[in-house]
Amino acid sequence: MTDAVPALSLAGVNVAYDGYRALADVSLNVAAGEAFGLVGESGSGKSTLLRAIAGLAPVTAGTLRVEGETLTGQRRGRAFHARVQMVFQDPYGSLHPRHTIDRQLLEPLAIHGVDATSPRILRALDEVGLGAGFRFRYPHQLSGGQRQRVAIARALILEPAILLLDEPTSALDASVQAEVLNLLEQVRAERGLTYVLVSHDLGVVTHMCDRLAVMHGGRIVEELPADDLVAGRIGTDYTRKLMVASAGFRRGSDGHGHADE
Amino acid sequence: MTPMLTVEDLAISFATRTGRFEAVRGVSFTLGRERLGIVGESGSGKSLTGRAIMGLTPPSADVTARRLAFDGIDLLTAPPAQRRALRGARLSMVLQDPKYSLDPVMSIGRQIVETLRTHERVSRREARERALDMLAAVQIENPARVFDLYPHEVSGGMGQRAMIAMMLIANPELLIADEPTSALDVTVQLEVLGILDRLVTDRGMGLIFISHDLRLVSSFCDRVLVMYAGRVVEEIAAAELAHARHPYTRGLLACVPVPGHDRHPLPVLDRRPEWRL
Ligand SMILES: Nc1ncnc2c1ncn2[C@@H]1O[C@H](COP(=O)(O)OP(=O)(O)OP(=O)(O)O)[C@@H](O)[C@H]1O
Ligand SMILES: Nc1ncnc2c1ncn2[C@@H]1O[C@H](COP(=O)(O)OP(=O)(O)OP(=O)(O)O)[C@@H](O)[C@H]1O
Ligand SMILES: [Mg+2]
Ligand SMILES: [Mg+2]
């Protein structure tokens, strides 16, 4: 590695909710232009890690830096949001229920004083495979996958440098997923974007990411190159279990027990 | 053997500013005590089909069918009170956006307890025990903690499992599960499928399993319907999914990123206008 300033840097970060430790001493560096994956069991703290960066989780200890600048408290200013955008795991919750899609996409542009909004909105919708016909609909008039695509369009519309993606394609069918993943790769190549991508789909993570971290119980238990995961060069039992389970369902297996044989 | 559920020529449409939008067109299938998978393009009408069976389509939707029957009951002519009663006791649906479908101002545990108590006369204490057991069954690690959390305080996968626990505690005869495991990591996914599988095999529950995860559907379901632009374009035995015939289904299989296969960019579908016919 060079001594260039990492895009993201976490050192000894802790997050606690009423004494419950959702993140425990998490340290992590993500280089500028890198695509970094986060995997791990449900409730292990993946979303919390992204939320801590976005100022949406109570950090009780540790330091967080974005492009070398230390983030303090939970306030994130306008400059932060111009650099860092997040796609939330639960798109319904992150879209305003009584605003049209047009307004959801317009708001970030207006806040950041961007003009020529109309062509940008149309382009953003088109990029995620939604025609102009969706522009004046409300979130409840969309399917689950269509809502997810609006959330992705909204994150991309400001052309941020760092994207935090929480299960961005888990609500999409394989064909739309492929289109969205290709789009994300293409903008990364064009604009040198940095990604942190959470996904439980190891196919998606290894396709998109150079390196990844495996989380368990609020901690990072292993950090490895995606190629090592693919080749089975794995250091912990938990990671190995994840690999085996991703092969599919086996009747009568109870879902466990067949991991080691 | 008469099927538990019959759907014949189901159509769902909406009035929009640009005319009528036909979201579901001529969908027909039957369901017995089996696992029926529904896969298909985002926006192809999978969730609306499930909602129509439940009687949960939005008021603006126009729903018609030649026949829509559950256990001999004509759902289209059944009075609202009867449909509500069915929904409570015999039909359940795990909705696609679990956190949105849970009541935001009631703790997870209380929601499960209330669901149970509308179905069975049980003491408060027993209801609590059973809710905790159900949370443990869906692999929630610390049920006692999660029992008291509100929906915004749980992770995506925990919310999804809370919703499954709530639907299962009512002991339905027919369960429609809409992307029930999309937020779960693979190990937990398999545990949850194991529970659903036992309910079908041991208790004879009918299951409609809506998912975009082809790998899961082909290994878990008996039969699969493939939807595209509001229609069923293919019906196939789940184990045969790899040999699907419709170009949409075949294309779908080719788009899936597989660990170890370096394909950048991923192949995408060339959607043909004639697929919409
Ligand atoms: N506001 C909150 N109050 C209390 N606990 C919380 C809150 N937010 C998160 N938690 C807890 O923090 C833990 C980690 O949650 P997080 O959402 O980060 O998990 P995750 O790894 O993203 O899981 P999933 O894959 O299911 O989305 C969970 O046990 C959750 O209940
Ligand atoms: N209230 C509504 N008004 C207008 N159109 C609607 C409404 N609800 C749904 N639709 C449209 O109906 C179509 C089918 O929606 P549905 O939610 O059934 O899709 P789906 O197959 O479940 O997709 P996904 O995989 O993305 O969840 C979509 O194109 C959607 O935009
Ligand atoms: Mg999460
Ligand atoms: Mg849906």
Side-chain angles (χ1 to χ4, degrees), chain A residues 151-181:
Chain A
I152 293 171
R154 189 179 56 180
L156 283 175
I157 204 165
L158 280 177
E159 307 196 350
I162 300 172
L163 260 186
L164 309 175
L165 300 157
D166 198 351
E167 302 277 4
T169 61
S170 68
L172 305 178
D173 76 278
S175 67
V176 178
Q177 166 171 283
E179 284 156 17
V180 169
L181 295 182

Side-chain angles (χ1 to χ4, degrees), chain A residues 130 134 137-149 171-173 176, chain B residues 12-16 21-24 38-51 57-61 96-97 178-179 210-212 227 230:
Chain A
L130 296 175
F134 287 95
R137 289 214 203 166
Y138 292 90
H140 73 270
Q141 297 175 319
L142 301 180
S143 77
Q146 289 162 348
R147 278 194 289 274
Q148 181 74 305
R149 284 181 272 167
L172 305 178
D173 76 278
V176 178
Chain B
I12 305 171
S13 64
F14 296 92
T16 70
F21 172 68
E22 297 182 344
V24 172
I38 303 184
V39 302
E41 164 114 319
S42 170
S44 60
K46 306 181 294 294
S47 297
L48 281 175
T49 298
R51 285 175 167 273
T57 44
S60 58
Q96 189 170 3
D97 292 280
D178 193 354
E179 303 280 9
I210 302 175
S211 173
H212 60 270
M227 290 187 70

